[in-house]
Amino acid sequence: MAEARPGTWYGFGFCGFGQALGSGRGRQVHSPEPLGTPGAGGDICRVSASWSYTACVTRGGLVALSGSASGAADGCRDAWASEALLVVRRAAPGRAEELQAWAPGSALRGPPLWCRAVEGTAAGAPAPLPLLPGGDAYVSPRPPFHRPLGPGLRARQLELGAEHALLLDAAGQVFSWGGGRHGQLGHGTLEAEAEPRLLEALQGLPVAEVAAGGWHSVCVSETGDLYSWGWNESGQLALPARSLAGDVQPGTGEATGLSEDGSAARGAAGGEDGAPAPFIAVQPLPALLDLPLDSEAAKASCGSRHTAVVTRTGELYTWGWGKYGQLGHKDTTSSDRPRRVDFFVDQQLRVAAVTCGPWSTYVCAVEQRGAHRTSLSLSGLPSLN
């Protein structure tokens, strides 16, 4: 779930079910396009994307679904979408705020599957879903839907992958649990963990944000460093991936790479001594990841097998699986190196937030301060400091 920010939302990637990012031209969008959710327009403040549908929340409190699930409801402050469950934070007129869980195909009609009163949080400062108010429980797409955390454990952020969970506590420490067969827990093994376990490799490093992909994980430190671990099958950790080794130019012995700023370039397919480059399928411990131009990370999000990071200067870098255009580079090429999404630079836009669906990416962007453009007007939107 991306945080609420002023700006215009864009989407790219898989839209085979008519999700909001679709432009009606097919099942894929290869470059960022403004979202086209009916009734939402430029008023979107939050986006949560599952594989087959997307939930957009507006500043006016409307949640609108698009894709395999459709429908709308008012009085909403937040929404969390999964294939099995849609959870909204909602306040009906004259009633206390509550969490409502719906079957995605219900179109938000009839009674919800279950309701839970929102307690223990100040007005105007809701905990981000799937974390519940108070930071001591969370929503799961599978029964039991309401799951408490361990005694004394309080979270400020919680992210769910396909088989694992990441938790960031108030002190900036990271905990993980769930399935670990792809190294996504970061404990140096491939073992599962039934309860939240502190990530010892990051102990003493204050972390500002965590992101959980399908089977990989990412975190951003308070100083802007980026760490990744887990499955690297499609290069989603920005480490050499065997599945991408076939991208060698015929007759050249060279593989497509990236220049210092993340633009397309060519490089040797092997190591410096001519030996084959080492490939990494699983990285079970957090590895420091350098962005081009020594950029510092501010925000991160993970899809099923791709990663997106916003820098402190408002640029967007993506890498990993790109089959449906979810990397935003006008093609369907996968990459195991971070590459800047030039659309936002070309349009003089500063990226403020990013959230990934399994096969898609959604971005909120604002106009650069002092920029003058005629191709796409975002006048009146404030710049970020």
Side-chain angles (χ1 to χ4, degrees):
M1 170 64 64
E3 296 180 6
R5 291 179 181 271
T8 295
W9 281 87
Y10 298 80
F12 42 99
F14 177 72
C15 58
F17 293 90
Q19 292 94 317
L21 61 81
S23 61
R25 292 197 294 268
R27 295 169 55 87
Q28 306 170 15
V29 173
H30 298 164
S31 184
E33 294 186 1
L35 297 196
T37 305
D43 196 33
I44 297 171
C45 63
R46 297 180 185 269
V47 175
S48 183
S50 185
W51 173 65
S52 67
Y53 76 99
T54 300
C56 296
V57 182
T58 72
R59 290 182 180 81
L62 175 73
V63 60
L65 309 181
S66 62
S68 66
S70 60
D74 56 14
C76 297
R77 300 181 67 182
D78 199 357
W80 179 72
S82 76
E83 287 299 295
L85 198 67
L86 169 69
V87 180
V88 298
R89 182 176 175 132
R90 190 178 187 190
R95 298 177 58 183
E97 193 173 63
E98 62 183 14
L99 294 171
Q100 298 178 352
W102 300 80
S106 67
L108 296 169
R109 297 194 187 99
L113 297 175
W114 53 261
C115 296
R116 183 178 180 87
V118 173
E119 301 173 351
T121 186
L129 291 171
L131 187 63
L132 297 185
D136 59 354
Y138 66 100
V139 176
S140 168
R142 292 176 289 274
F145 297 122
H146 175 270
R147 301 192 182 190
L149 298 172
L153 190 58
R154 295 293 182 270
R156 73 183 197 218
Q157 184 189 0
L158 186 141
E159 297 290 326
L160 298 180
E163 299 176 347
H164 74 296
L166 293 180
L167 181 150
L168 179 65
D169 73 1
Q173 297 185 109
V174 180
F175 294 76
S176 65
W177 68 99
R181 60 186 175 138
H182 292 98
Q184 64 264 49
L185 299 185
H187 301 303
T189 73
L190 306 184
E191 302 297 323
E193 296 286 343
E195 301 294 334
R197 177 182 170 186
L198 177 67
L199 226 67
E200 295 180 3
L202 297 175
Q203 197 166 6
L205 177 74
V207 172
E209 181 163 310
V210 294
W215 298 271
H216 72 292
S217 305
V218 170
C219 76
V220 178
S221 76
E222 290 186 354
T223 58
D225 289 328
L226 190 66
Y227 293 82
S228 63
W229 61 96
W231 200 32
N232 191 53
E233 185 273 342
S234 296
Q236 57 264 49
L237 303 186
L239 297 172
R242 184 177 298 277
S243 65
L244 305 185
D247 295 336
V248 177
Q249 304 301 315
T252 67
E254 293 184 327
T256 301
L258 301 173
S259 62
E260 185 181 3
D261 66 353
S263 58
R266 286 184 178 179
E272 292 182 0
D273 58 359
F279 300 114
I280 299 175
V282 170
Q283 172 63 37
L285 285 169
L288 180 64
L289 193 163
D290 292 326
L291 293 174
L293 301 176
D294 296 323
S295 299
E296 295 180 343
K299 294 285 184 182
S301 187
C302 299
S304 174
R305 285 180 283 163
H306 76 288
T307 305
V309 168
V310 180
T311 69
R312 290 184 171 180
T313 56
E315 295 183 326
L316 178 69
Y317 285 85
T318 60
W319 60 92
W321 193 44
K323 179 178 179 179
Y324 294 99
Q326 60 264 49
L327 302 185
H329 302 308
K330 302 181 181 180
D331 56 32
T332 57
T333 302
S334 299
S335 172
D336 57 12
R337 298 183 66 183
R339 183 177 174 187
R340 188 181 66 192
V341 180
D342 288 334
F343 170 88
F344 299 103
V345 176
D346 295 342
Q347 295 293 327
Q348 299 183 21
L349 295 173
R350 179 185 175 98
V351 176
V354 61
T355 184
C356 294
W359 298 357
S360 59
T361 306
Y362 293 85
V363 172
C364 180
V366 299
E367 186 177 18
Q368 290 276 20
R369 180 176 297 172
H372 297 284
R373 298 179 293 110
T374 58
S375 58
L376 180 61
S377 175
L378 296 176
S379 59
L381 294 178
S383 298
L384 298 182
N385 295 322

